[in-house]
Amino acid sequence: MIRLFGILTGLFFAVAVLWSFGNGAFVAATEGLGEATAEKVFYEHPEELDLPSNGVFGTFDEAQLQRGYQVYKEVCSACHSLKFVAFRDLAQLGYDEGQIKAEAASFQVPGIDPATGEATTRPGLATDYFPSPYPNTVAAAAANNNAIPPDLSLITKARHDGSAYVHSLLTGYSEPPAELTQQFPNFTTPPGLNYNRYFPNLNIAMAPPLALDGQVTYGEGNPEPTVDQMATDVAAFLTWTAEPTLVKRRQTGFAVLGFVLFATILAYFAKQQVWAAVKPKKAAKAKD
């Protein structure tokens, strides 16, 4: 009885796995089929972005990360927070203690009045985290056409294509192409929204944050701050905020793989040594 129950249970799980595989294959094969819509026809997949941190041997470019932080501070921080990044983390970008304290003090963070106990704001400290520019989500929605700007700490992990998505979205604003309105006369960009070919439904509440070349002034020795360059730099910076230990993790991974390879070779030779005296005995018995 127990054996029969075990067989039936195994069959049930086997059928469930086969059904899931078949259903997934069907969905993958038919996804995107059906009636054409403006979103399906004119939405463009994010373009590949070549960053120094790409690939298994990639590393962060400190100068680029500093430029990306500058773009975030001067442009993106007006609407977006970095709630998982502390000011002291900027030391990883090459800033010294004095610079970090100055950067922290340039932001206002939530605090408490020691005299009255009431909520207030104060200049940031190195141990504080980057604050939200809005006191709450209601205020954020009211200031952005009822759309709450997302926190950018993990945005390159939270979006498919990560860094490439951020770069493409920032550079994908334009007027709706004539072909779109000709093919889909009912398509419109409502007031308060903006057309962006890299946004899934083509209309996004965020206004173009990088609208002009030179919007952010880079120091000497840096590339020209074109829209594309600024978008690339801030995408690199947000790649770092999402995983500041990226390079260290890869280095640790190579060390672990090397150890596993060494241990495997060592185990093989140990096995050969242990069974070396046994094999001749087995061979002799087989001859007898």
Side-chain angles (χ1 to χ4, degrees):
M1 185 65 182
I2 295 177
R3 181 176 297 178
L4 177 62
F5 178 76
I7 293 174
L8 292 176
T9 302
L11 287 174
F12 171 77
F13 282 106
V15 171
V17 170
L18 288 174
W19 180 86
S20 299
F21 177 78
N23 184 64
F26 174 78
V27 172
T30 59
E31 187 176 13
L33 299 179
E35 183 179 357
T37 63
E39 293 82 358
K40 290 180 180 179
V41 175
F42 286 89
Y43 166 72
E44 295 185 21
H45 191 76
E47 298 178 0
E48 292 186 9
L49 182 63
D50 184 20
L51 293 178
S53 58
N54 290 353
V56 295
F57 298 105
T59 58
F60 288 121
D61 182 340
E62 189 175 281
Q64 184 178 52
L65 295 184
Q66 291 187 5
R67 295 195 303 268
Y69 168 65
Q70 184 181 355
V71 175
Y72 166 77
K73 180 182 177 181
E74 296 185 19
V75 180
C76 308
S77 64
C79 298
H80 299 275
S81 61
L82 285 177
K83 64 181 180 181
F84 296 120
V85 181
F87 292 107
R88 60 186 174 186
D89 293 333
L90 295 178
Q92 299 179 39
L93 273 59
Y95 292 99
D96 59 35
E97 184 178 353
Q99 291 173 316
I100 292 173
K101 289 181 177 180
E103 289 295 322
S106 68
F107 286 82
Q108 290 293 312
V109 302
I112 297 177
D113 189 326
T116 64
E118 296 180 352
T120 183
T121 58
R122 60 172 175 78
L125 301 174
T127 53
D128 290 320
Y129 287 77
F130 281 85
S132 170
Y134 305 104
N136 50 60
T137 55
V138 176
N144 293 277
N145 197 31
N146 207 35
I148 301 175
D151 179 83
L152 297 182
S153 305
L154 304 175
I155 196 68
T156 58
K157 293 293 186 182
R159 299 292 185 270
H160 185 59
D161 292 312
S163 310
Y165 171 82
V166 171
H167 173 268
S168 294
L169 191 72
L170 292 174
T171 57
Y173 289 89
S174 67
E175 292 296 322
E179 296 83 357
L180 188 155
T181 53
Q182 291 173 1
Q183 189 171 347
F184 300 95
N186 294 329
F187 176 84
T188 59
T189 298
L193 299 183
N194 303 272
Y195 178 81
N196 190 308
R197 63 186 182 276
Y198 296 110
F199 194 65
N201 68 4
L202 302 181
N203 290 323
I204 186 172
M206 181 174 67
L210 300 175
L212 299 171
D213 292 344
Q215 187 172 334
V216 175
T217 303
Y218 289 163
E220 293 184 6
N222 287 296
E224 286 294 320
T226 61
V227 169
D228 182 77
Q229 183 64 55
M230 290 185 290
T232 300
D233 292 340
V234 77
F237 171 70
L238 294 177
T239 301
W240 171 80
T241 64
E243 192 174 3
T245 59
L246 175 65
V247 176
K248 186 177 294 186
R249 175 176 63 80
R250 288 172 177 167
Q251 292 172 345
T252 302
F254 284 123
V256 170
L257 289 175
F259 172 78
V260 170
L261 178 61
F262 172 76
T264 302
I265 296 173
L266 190 64
Y268 172 77
F269 284 113
K271 178 257 183 187
Q272 294 292 96
Q273 181 69 23
V274 169
W275 289 93
V278 178
K279 289 180 179 178
K281 293 181 180 179
K282 288 185 177 181
K285 288 183 179 181
K287 290 181 180 179
D288 293 341

PDB file of all heavy atoms in Angstrom, residues 93-129:
ATOM      1  N   LEU A  93      33.645  55.743  -3.605  1.00  0.00           N
ATOM      2  CA  LEU A  93      33.776  56.448  -4.881  1.00  0.00           C
ATOM      3  C   LEU A  93      35.008  57.337  -4.910  1.00  0.00           C
ATOM      4  O   LEU A  93      35.240  58.054  -5.891  1.00  0.00           O
ATOM      5  CB  LEU A  93      32.534  57.305  -5.141  1.00  0.00           C
ATOM      6  CG  LEU A  93      31.349  56.634  -5.833  1.00  0.00           C
ATOM      7  CD1 LEU A  93      30.842  55.447  -5.043  1.00  0.00           C
ATOM      8  CD2 LEU A  93      30.207  57.638  -6.032  1.00  0.00           C
ATOM      9  N   GLY A  94      35.797  57.315  -3.825  1.00  0.00           N
ATOM     10  CA  GLY A  94      37.024  58.104  -3.792  1.00  0.00           C
ATOM     11  C   GLY A  94      36.916  59.412  -3.038  1.00  0.00           C
ATOM     12  O   GLY A  94      37.873  60.196  -3.037  1.00  0.00           O
ATOM     13  N   TYR A  95      35.786  59.685  -2.386  1.00  0.00           N
ATOM     14  CA  TYR A  95      35.648  60.917  -1.614  1.00  0.00           C
ATOM     15  C   TYR A  95      36.295  60.744  -0.239  1.00  0.00           C
ATOM     16  O   TYR A  95      36.171  59.681   0.383  1.00  0.00           O
ATOM     17  CB  TYR A  95      34.172  61.284  -1.439  1.00  0.00           C
ATOM     18  CG  TYR A  95      33.487  61.684  -2.731  1.00  0.00           C
ATOM     19  CD1 TYR A  95      32.710  60.771  -3.434  1.00  0.00           C
ATOM     20  CD2 TYR A  95      33.623  62.967  -3.251  1.00  0.00           C
ATOM     21  CE1 TYR A  95      32.078  61.130  -4.618  1.00  0.00           C
ATOM     22  CE2 TYR A  95      33.002  63.340  -4.433  1.00  0.00           C
ATOM     23  CZ  TYR A  95      32.230  62.411  -5.119  1.00  0.00           C
ATOM     24  OH  TYR A  95      31.620  62.758  -6.289  1.00  0.00           O
ATOM     25  N   ASP A  96      36.949  61.803   0.249  1.00  0.00           N
ATOM     26  CA  ASP A  96      37.562  61.720   1.578  1.00  0.00           C
ATOM     27  C   ASP A  96      36.545  62.118   2.644  1.00  0.00           C
ATOM     28  O   ASP A  96      35.410  62.504   2.346  1.00  0.00           O
ATOM     29  CB  ASP A  96      38.829  62.580   1.666  1.00  0.00           C
ATOM     30  CG  ASP A  96      38.565  64.061   1.382  1.00  0.00           C
ATOM     31  OD1 ASP A  96      37.479  64.561   1.754  1.00  0.00           O
ATOM     32  OD2 ASP A  96      39.442  64.719   0.797  1.00  0.00           O
ATOM     33  N   GLU A  97      36.956  62.039   3.902  1.00  0.00           N
ATOM     34  CA  GLU A  97      36.029  62.279   5.010  1.00  0.00           C
ATOM     35  C   GLU A  97      35.436  63.680   4.985  1.00  0.00           C
ATOM     36  O   GLU A  97      34.235  63.870   5.212  1.00  0.00           O
ATOM     37  CB  GLU A  97      36.769  62.056   6.338  1.00  0.00           C
ATOM     38  CG  GLU A  97      35.874  62.180   7.557  1.00  0.00           C
ATOM     39  CD  GLU A  97      36.620  61.898   8.857  1.00  0.00           C
ATOM     40  OE1 GLU A  97      37.795  61.474   8.783  1.00  0.00           O
ATOM     41  OE2 GLU A  97      36.029  62.098   9.938  1.00  0.00           O
ATOM     42  N   GLY A  98      36.273  64.681   4.704  1.00  0.00           N
ATOM     43  CA  GLY A  98      35.779  66.059   4.655  1.00  0.00           C
ATOM     44  C   GLY A  98      34.761  66.254   3.544  1.00  0.00           C
ATOM     45  O   GLY A  98      33.735  66.938   3.734  1.00  0.00           O
ATOM     46  N   GLN A  99      35.023  65.685   2.386  1.00  0.00           N
ATOM     47  CA  GLN A  99      34.083  65.808   1.270  1.00  0.00           C
ATOM     48  C   GLN A  99      32.762  65.113   1.583  1.00  0.00           C
ATOM     49  O   GLN A  99      31.688  65.616   1.235  1.00  0.00           O
ATOM     50  CB  GLN A  99      34.706  65.213   0.005  1.00  0.00           C
ATOM     51  CG  GLN A  99      35.869  66.004  -0.543  1.00  0.00           C
ATOM     52  CD  GLN A  99      36.569  65.292  -1.699  1.00  0.00           C
ATOM     53  OE1 GLN A  99      36.819  64.083  -1.647  1.00  0.00           O
ATOM     54  NE2 GLN A  99      36.893  66.041  -2.742  1.00  0.00           N
ATOM     55  N   ILE A 100      32.836  63.964   2.244  1.00  0.00           N
ATOM     56  CA  ILE A 100      31.620  63.230   2.582  1.00  0.00           C
ATOM     57  C   ILE A 100      30.775  64.031   3.566  1.00  0.00           C
ATOM     58  O   ILE A 100      29.545  64.128   3.425  1.00  0.00           O
ATOM     59  CB  ILE A 100      31.973  61.849   3.171  1.00  0.00           C
ATOM     60  CG1 ILE A 100      32.590  60.966   2.084  1.00  0.00           C
ATOM     61  CG2 ILE A 100      30.746  61.185   3.776  1.00  0.00           C
ATOM     62  CD1 ILE A 100      33.132  59.654   2.593  1.00  0.00           C
ATOM     63  N   LYS A 101      31.405  64.629   4.557  1.00  0.00           N
ATOM     64  CA  LYS A 101      30.662  65.449   5.522  1.00  0.00           C
ATOM     65  C   LYS A 101      30.009  66.642   4.826  1.00  0.00           C
ATOM     66  O   LYS A 101      28.869  67.012   5.140  1.00  0.00           O
ATOM     67  CB  LYS A 101      31.594  65.922   6.640  1.00  0.00           C
ATOM     68  CG  LYS A 101      32.029  64.813   7.587  1.00  0.00           C
ATOM     69  CD  LYS A 101      32.924  65.352   8.688  1.00  0.00           C
ATOM     70  CE  LYS A 101      33.303  64.252   9.669  1.00  0.00           C
ATOM     71  NZ  LYS A 101      34.189  64.758  10.758  1.00  0.00           N
ATOM     72  N   ALA A 102      30.725  67.240   3.887  1.00  0.00           N
ATOM     73  CA  ALA A 102      30.160  68.377   3.152  1.00  0.00           C
ATOM     74  C   ALA A 102      28.993  67.944   2.286  1.00  0.00           C
ATOM     75  O   ALA A 102      27.970  68.653   2.199  1.00  0.00           O
ATOM     76  CB  ALA A 102      31.250  69.024   2.298  1.00  0.00           C
ATOM     77  N   GLU A 103      29.113  66.777   1.631  1.00  0.00           N
ATOM     78  CA  GLU A 103      28.021  66.276   0.814  1.00  0.00           C
ATOM     79  C   GLU A 103      26.795  65.984   1.672  1.00  0.00           C
ATOM     80  O   GLU A 103      25.667  66.314   1.314  1.00  0.00           O
ATOM     81  CB  GLU A 103      28.449  65.005   0.076  1.00  0.00           C
ATOM     82  CG  GLU A 103      29.440  65.228  -1.046  1.00  0.00           C
ATOM     83  CD  GLU A 103      28.857  66.053  -2.179  1.00  0.00           C
ATOM     84  OE1 GLU A 103      27.667  65.866  -2.509  1.00  0.00           O
ATOM     85  OE2 GLU A 103      29.582  66.902  -2.720  1.00  0.00           O
ATOM     86  N   ALA A 104      27.018  65.362   2.822  1.00  0.00           N
ATOM     87  CA  ALA A 104      25.899  65.041   3.716  1.00  0.00           C
ATOM     88  C   ALA A 104      25.211  66.307   4.197  1.00  0.00           C
ATOM     89  O   ALA A 104      23.975  66.383   4.250  1.00  0.00           O
ATOM     90  CB  ALA A 104      26.401  64.215   4.892  1.00  0.00           C
ATOM     91  N   ALA A 105      25.992  67.317   4.558  1.00  0.00           N
ATOM     92  CA  ALA A 105      25.431  68.555   5.077  1.00  0.00           C
ATOM     93  C   ALA A 105      24.635  69.326   4.026  1.00  0.00           C
ATOM     94  O   ALA A 105      23.801  70.171   4.366  1.00  0.00           O
ATOM     95  CB  ALA A 105      26.541  69.428   5.638  1.00  0.00           C
ATOM     96  N   SER A 106      24.874  69.031   2.742  1.00  0.00           N
ATOM     97  CA  SER A 106      24.139  69.731   1.680  1.00  0.00           C
ATOM     98  C   SER A 106      22.715  69.205   1.515  1.00  0.00           C
ATOM     99  O   SER A 106      21.923  69.781   0.783  1.00  0.00           O
ATOM    100  CB  SER A 106      24.900  69.621   0.355  1.00  0.00           C
ATOM    101  OG  SER A 106      24.908  68.273  -0.121  1.00  0.00           O
ATOM    102  N   PHE A 107      22.390  68.092   2.192  1.00  0.00           N
ATOM    103  CA  PHE A 107      21.045  67.529   2.160  1.00  0.00           C
ATOM    104  C   PHE A 107      20.356  67.783   3.493  1.00  0.00           C
ATOM    105  O   PHE A 107      20.990  67.770   4.551  1.00  0.00           O
ATOM    106  CB  PHE A 107      21.090  66.011   1.909  1.00  0.00           C
ATOM    107  CG  PHE A 107      21.428  65.626   0.506  1.00  0.00           C
ATOM    108  CD1 PHE A 107      22.756  65.602   0.078  1.00  0.00           C
ATOM    109  CD2 PHE A 107      20.441  65.269  -0.403  1.00  0.00           C
ATOM    110  CE1 PHE A 107      23.083  65.235  -1.222  1.00  0.00           C
ATOM    111  CE2 PHE A 107      20.755  64.899  -1.695  1.00  0.00           C
ATOM    112  CZ  PHE A 107      22.081  64.887  -2.110  1.00  0.00           C
ATOM    113  N   GLN A 108      19.048  67.976   3.461  1.00  0.00           N
ATOM    114  CA  GLN A 108      18.236  68.092   4.664  1.00  0.00           C
ATOM    115  C   GLN A 108      17.574  66.741   4.937  1.00  0.00           C
ATOM    116  O   GLN A 108      16.908  66.184   4.066  1.00  0.00           O
ATOM    117  CB  GLN A 108      17.166  69.175   4.493  1.00  0.00           C
ATOM    118  CG  GLN A 108      17.719  70.590   4.448  1.00  0.00           C
ATOM    119  CD  GLN A 108      18.324  71.022   5.782  1.00  0.00           C
ATOM    120  OE1 GLN A 108      17.718  70.861   6.837  1.00  0.00           O
ATOM    121  NE2 GLN A 108      19.530  71.588   5.738  1.00  0.00           N
ATOM    122  N   VAL A 109      17.789  66.216   6.136  1.00  0.00           N
ATOM    123  CA  VAL A 109      17.237  64.917   6.502  1.00  0.00           C
ATOM    124  C   VAL A 109      16.254  65.097   7.653  1.00  0.00           C
ATOM    125  O   VAL A 109      16.325  66.082   8.402  1.00  0.00           O
ATOM    126  CB  VAL A 109      18.353  63.924   6.905  1.00  0.00           C
ATOM    127  CG1 VAL A 109      19.337  63.748   5.763  1.00  0.00           C
ATOM    128  CG2 VAL A 109      19.074  64.401   8.156  1.00  0.00           C
ATOM    129  N   PRO A 110      15.319  64.152   7.828  1.00  0.00           N
ATOM    130  CA  PRO A 110      14.352  64.266   8.936  1.00  0.00           C
ATOM    131  C   PRO A 110      15.075  64.234  10.290  1.00  0.00           C
ATOM    132  O   PRO A 110      16.042  63.505  10.488  1.00  0.00           O
ATOM    133  CB  PRO A 110      13.463  63.029   8.759  1.00  0.00           C
ATOM    134  CG  PRO A 110      13.622  62.648   7.321  1.00  0.00           C
ATOM    135  CD  PRO A 110      15.031  62.996   6.971  1.00  0.00           C
ATOM    136  N   GLY A 111      14.591  65.050  11.208  1.00  0.00           N
ATOM    137  CA  GLY A 111      15.162  65.108  12.540  1.00  0.00           C
ATOM    138  C   GLY A 111      14.104  65.457  13.567  1.00  0.00           C
ATOM    139  O   GLY A 111      12.911  65.579  13.243  1.00  0.00           O
ATOM    140  N   ILE A 112      14.517  65.622  14.807  1.00  0.00           N
ATOM    141  CA  ILE A 112      13.614  65.966  15.905  1.00  0.00           C
ATOM    142  C   ILE A 112      14.181  67.163  16.651  1.00  0.00           C
ATOM    143  O   ILE A 112      15.374  67.193  17.000  1.00  0.00           O
ATOM    144  CB  ILE A 112      13.436  64.776  16.869  1.00  0.00           C
ATOM    145  CG1 ILE A 112      12.789  63.597  16.143  1.00  0.00           C
ATOM    146  CG2 ILE A 112      12.589  65.169  18.073  1.00  0.00           C
ATOM    147  CD1 ILE A 112      12.644  62.354  16.993  1.00  0.00           C
ATOM    148  N   ASP A 113      13.354  68.155  16.891  1.00  0.00           N
ATOM    149  CA  ASP A 113      13.760  69.331  17.644  1.00  0.00           C
ATOM    150  C   ASP A 113      13.985  68.920  19.100  1.00  0.00           C
ATOM    151  O   ASP A 113      13.054  68.472  19.772  1.00  0.00           O
ATOM    152  CB  ASP A 113      12.664  70.397  17.564  1.00  0.00           C
ATOM    153  CG  ASP A 113      13.127  71.730  18.140  1.00  0.00           C
ATOM    154  OD1 ASP A 113      13.923  71.724  19.101  1.00  0.00           O
ATOM    155  OD2 ASP A 113      12.681  72.777  17.634  1.00  0.00           O
ATOM    156  N   PRO A 114      15.220  69.039  19.609  1.00  0.00           N
ATOM    157  CA  PRO A 114      15.495  68.585  20.987  1.00  0.00           C
ATOM    158  C   PRO A 114      14.759  69.386  22.046  1.00  0.00           C
ATOM    159  O   PRO A 114      14.572  68.914  23.170  1.00  0.00           O
ATOM    160  CB  PRO A 114      17.019  68.766  21.113  1.00  0.00           C
ATOM    161  CG  PRO A 114      17.372  69.809  20.096  1.00  0.00           C
ATOM    162  CD  PRO A 114      16.416  69.609  18.963  1.00  0.00           C
ATOM    163  N   ALA A 115      14.327  70.583  21.690  1.00  0.00           N
ATOM    164  CA  ALA A 115      13.646  71.421  22.674  1.00  0.00           C
ATOM    165  C   ALA A 115      12.160  71.099  22.770  1.00  0.00           C
ATOM    166  O   ALA A 115      11.587  71.086  23.860  1.00  0.00           O
ATOM    167  CB  ALA A 115      13.837  72.894  22.316  1.00  0.00           C
ATOM    168  N   THR A 116      11.537  70.832  21.615  1.00  0.00           N
ATOM    169  CA  THR A 116      10.084  70.609  21.604  1.00  0.00           C
ATOM    170  C   THR A 116       9.692  69.172  21.303  1.00  0.00           C
ATOM    171  O   THR A 116       8.551  68.769  21.552  1.00  0.00           O
ATOM    172  CB  THR A 116       9.426  71.528  20.569  1.00  0.00           C
ATOM    173  OG1 THR A 116       9.899  71.171  19.253  1.00  0.00           O
ATOM    174  CG2 THR A 116       9.764  72.987  20.851  1.00  0.00           C
ATOM    175  N   GLY A 117      10.623  68.390  20.734  1.00  0.00           N
ATOM    176  CA  GLY A 117      10.291  67.016  20.360  1.00  0.00           C
ATOM    177  C   GLY A 117       9.517  66.923  19.063  1.00  0.00           C
ATOM    178  O   GLY A 117       9.098  65.827  18.662  1.00  0.00           O
ATOM    179  N   GLU A 118       9.314  68.036  18.382  1.00  0.00           N
ATOM    180  CA  GLU A 118       8.574  68.040  17.124  1.00  0.00           C
ATOM    181  C   GLU A 118       9.483  67.623  15.959  1.00  0.00           C
ATOM    182  O   GLU A 118      10.688  67.813  15.997  1.00  0.00           O
ATOM    183  CB  GLU A 118       7.989  69.431  16.850  1.00  0.00           C
ATOM    184  CG  GLU A 118       6.962  69.869  17.880  1.00  0.00           C
ATOM    185  CD  GLU A 118       6.412  71.238  17.557  1.00  0.00           C
ATOM    186  OE1 GLU A 118       6.948  71.896  16.627  1.00  0.00           O
ATOM    187  OE2 GLU A 118       5.453  71.672  18.231  1.00  0.00           O
ATOM    188  N   ALA A 119       8.827  67.052  14.932  1.00  0.00           N
ATOM    189  CA  ALA A 119       9.570  66.650  13.732  1.00  0.00           C
ATOM    190  C   ALA A 119      10.081  67.886  13.007  1.00  0.00           C
ATOM    191  O   ALA A 119       9.370  68.889  12.877  1.00  0.00           O
ATOM    192  CB  ALA A 119       8.678  65.829  12.815  1.00  0.00           C
ATOM    193  N   THR A 120      11.305  67.795  12.563  1.00  0.00           N
ATOM    194  CA  THR A 120      11.909  68.899  11.841  1.00  0.00           C
ATOM    195  C   THR A 120      12.917  68.338  10.851  1.00  0.00           C
ATOM    196  O   THR A 120      12.948  67.127  10.611  1.00  0.00           O
ATOM    197  CB  THR A 120      12.603  69.870  12.823  1.00  0.00           C
ATOM    198  OG1 THR A 120      13.126  70.985  12.093  1.00  0.00           O
ATOM    199  CG2 THR A 120      13.733  69.175  13.567  1.00  0.00           C
ATOM    200  N   THR A 121      13.724  69.177  10.265  1.00  0.00           N
ATOM    201  CA  THR A 121      14.798  68.726   9.377  1.00  0.00           C
ATOM    202  C   THR A 121      16.110  69.314   9.863  1.00  0.00           C
ATOM    203  O   THR A 121      16.139  70.320  10.565  1.00  0.00           O
ATOM    204  CB  THR A 121      14.543  69.159   7.921  1.00  0.00           C
ATOM    205  OG1 THR A 121      14.432  70.592   7.860  1.00  0.00           O
ATOM    206  CG2 THR A 121      13.269  68.521   7.373  1.00  0.00           C
ATOM    207  N   ARG A 122      17.172  68.670   9.480  1.00  0.00           N
ATOM    208  CA  ARG A 122      18.511  69.107   9.868  1.00  0.00           C
ATOM    209  C   ARG A 122      19.490  68.745   8.768  1.00  0.00           C
ATOM    210  O   ARG A 122      19.196  67.884   7.924  1.00  0.00           O
ATOM    211  CB  ARG A 122      18.922  68.435  11.176  1.00  0.00           C
ATOM    212  CG  ARG A 122      18.949  66.912  11.085  1.00  0.00           C
ATOM    213  CD  ARG A 122      19.539  66.258  12.301  1.00  0.00           C
ATOM    214  NE  ARG A 122      19.438  64.800  12.246  1.00  0.00           N
ATOM    215  CZ  ARG A 122      20.226  64.001  11.533  1.00  0.00           C
ATOM    216  NH1 ARG A 122      21.202  64.532  10.782  1.00  0.00           N
ATOM    217  NH2 ARG A 122      20.073  62.689  11.532  1.00  0.00           N
ATOM    218  N   PRO A 123      20.672  69.361   8.745  1.00  0.00           N
ATOM    219  CA  PRO A 123      21.694  68.964   7.771  1.00  0.00           C
ATOM    220  C   PRO A 123      22.118  67.517   8.007  1.00  0.00           C
ATOM    221  O   PRO A 123      22.202  67.058   9.144  1.00  0.00           O
ATOM    222  CB  PRO A 123      22.845  69.945   8.048  1.00  0.00           C
ATOM    223  CG  PRO A 123      22.202  71.110   8.708  1.00  0.00           C
ATOM    224  CD  PRO A 123      21.074  70.548   9.518  1.00  0.00           C
ATOM    225  N   GLY A 124      22.358  66.798   6.941  1.00  0.00           N
ATOM    226  CA  GLY A 124      22.704  65.390   7.045  1.00  0.00           C
ATOM    227  C   GLY A 124      24.077  65.160   7.651  1.00  0.00           C
ATOM    228  O   GLY A 124      24.950  66.033   7.616  1.00  0.00           O
ATOM    229  N   LEU A 125      24.238  63.971   8.219  1.00  0.00           N
ATOM    230  CA  LEU A 125      25.521  63.514   8.740  1.00  0.00           C
ATOM    231  C   LEU A 125      26.031  62.368   7.871  1.00  0.00           C
ATOM    232  O   LEU A 125      25.261  61.774   7.102  1.00  0.00           O
ATOM    233  CB  LEU A 125      25.377  63.044  10.188  1.00  0.00           C
ATOM    234  CG  LEU A 125      24.857  64.073  11.196  1.00  0.00           C
ATOM    235  CD1 LEU A 125      24.641  63.401  12.551  1.00  0.00           C
ATOM    236  CD2 LEU A 125      25.820  65.245  11.319  1.00  0.00           C
ATOM    237  N   ALA A 126      27.292  62.039   8.008  1.00  0.00           N
ATOM    238  CA  ALA A 126      27.874  60.976   7.181  1.00  0.00           C
ATOM    239  C   ALA A 126      27.166  59.647   7.402  1.00  0.00           C
ATOM    240  O   ALA A 126      27.112  58.809   6.498  1.00  0.00           O
ATOM    241  CB  ALA A 126      29.360  60.830   7.485  1.00  0.00           C
ATOM    242  N   THR A 127      26.599  59.439   8.595  1.00  0.00           N
ATOM    243  CA  THR A 127      25.911  58.175   8.904  1.00  0.00           C
ATOM    244  C   THR A 127      24.472  58.144   8.409  1.00  0.00           C
ATOM    245  O   THR A 127      23.835  57.084   8.470  1.00  0.00           O
ATOM    246  CB  THR A 127      25.925  57.928  10.414  1.00  0.00           C
ATOM    247  OG1 THR A 127      25.387  59.088  11.084  1.00  0.00           O
ATOM    248  CG2 THR A 127      27.332  57.670  10.913  1.00  0.00           C
ATOM    249  N   ASP A 128      23.955  59.261   7.935  1.00  0.00           N
ATOM    250  CA  ASP A 128      22.579  59.306   7.434  1.00  0.00           C
ATOM    251  C   ASP A 128      22.499  58.697   6.042  1.00  0.00           C
ATOM    252  O   ASP A 128      23.502  58.600   5.316  1.00  0.00           O
ATOM    253  CB  ASP A 128      22.068  60.755   7.388  1.00  0.00           C
ATOM    254  CG  ASP A 128      21.838  61.327   8.770  1.00  0.00           C
ATOM    255  OD1 ASP A 128      21.337  60.586   9.636  1.00  0.00           O
ATOM    256  OD2 ASP A 128      22.162  62.518   8.982  1.00  0.00           O
ATOM    257  N   TYR A 129      21.270  58.359   5.650  1.00  0.00           N
ATOM    258  CA  TYR A 129      21.013  57.838   4.310  1.00  0.00           C
ATOM    259  C   TYR A 129      20.408  58.945   3.443  1.00  0.00           C
ATOM    260  O   TYR A 129      19.793  59.881   3.960  1.00  0.00           O
ATOM    261  CB  TYR A 129      20.057  56.639   4.379  1.00  0.00           C
ATOM    262  CG  TYR A 129      20.711  55.397   4.934  1.00  0.00           C
ATOM    263  CD1 TYR A 129      20.942  55.258   6.304  1.00  0.00           C
ATOM    264  CD2 TYR A 129      21.133  54.375   4.091  1.00  0.00           C
ATOM    265  CE1 TYR A 129      21.563  54.128   6.814  1.00  0.00           C
ATOM    266  CE2 TYR A 129      21.754  53.234   4.600  1.00  0.00           C
ATOM    267  CZ  TYR A 129      21.967  53.128   5.965  1.00  0.00           C
ATOM    268  OH  TYR A 129      22.587  52.011   6.462  1.00  0.00           O
TER     269      TYR A 129
END
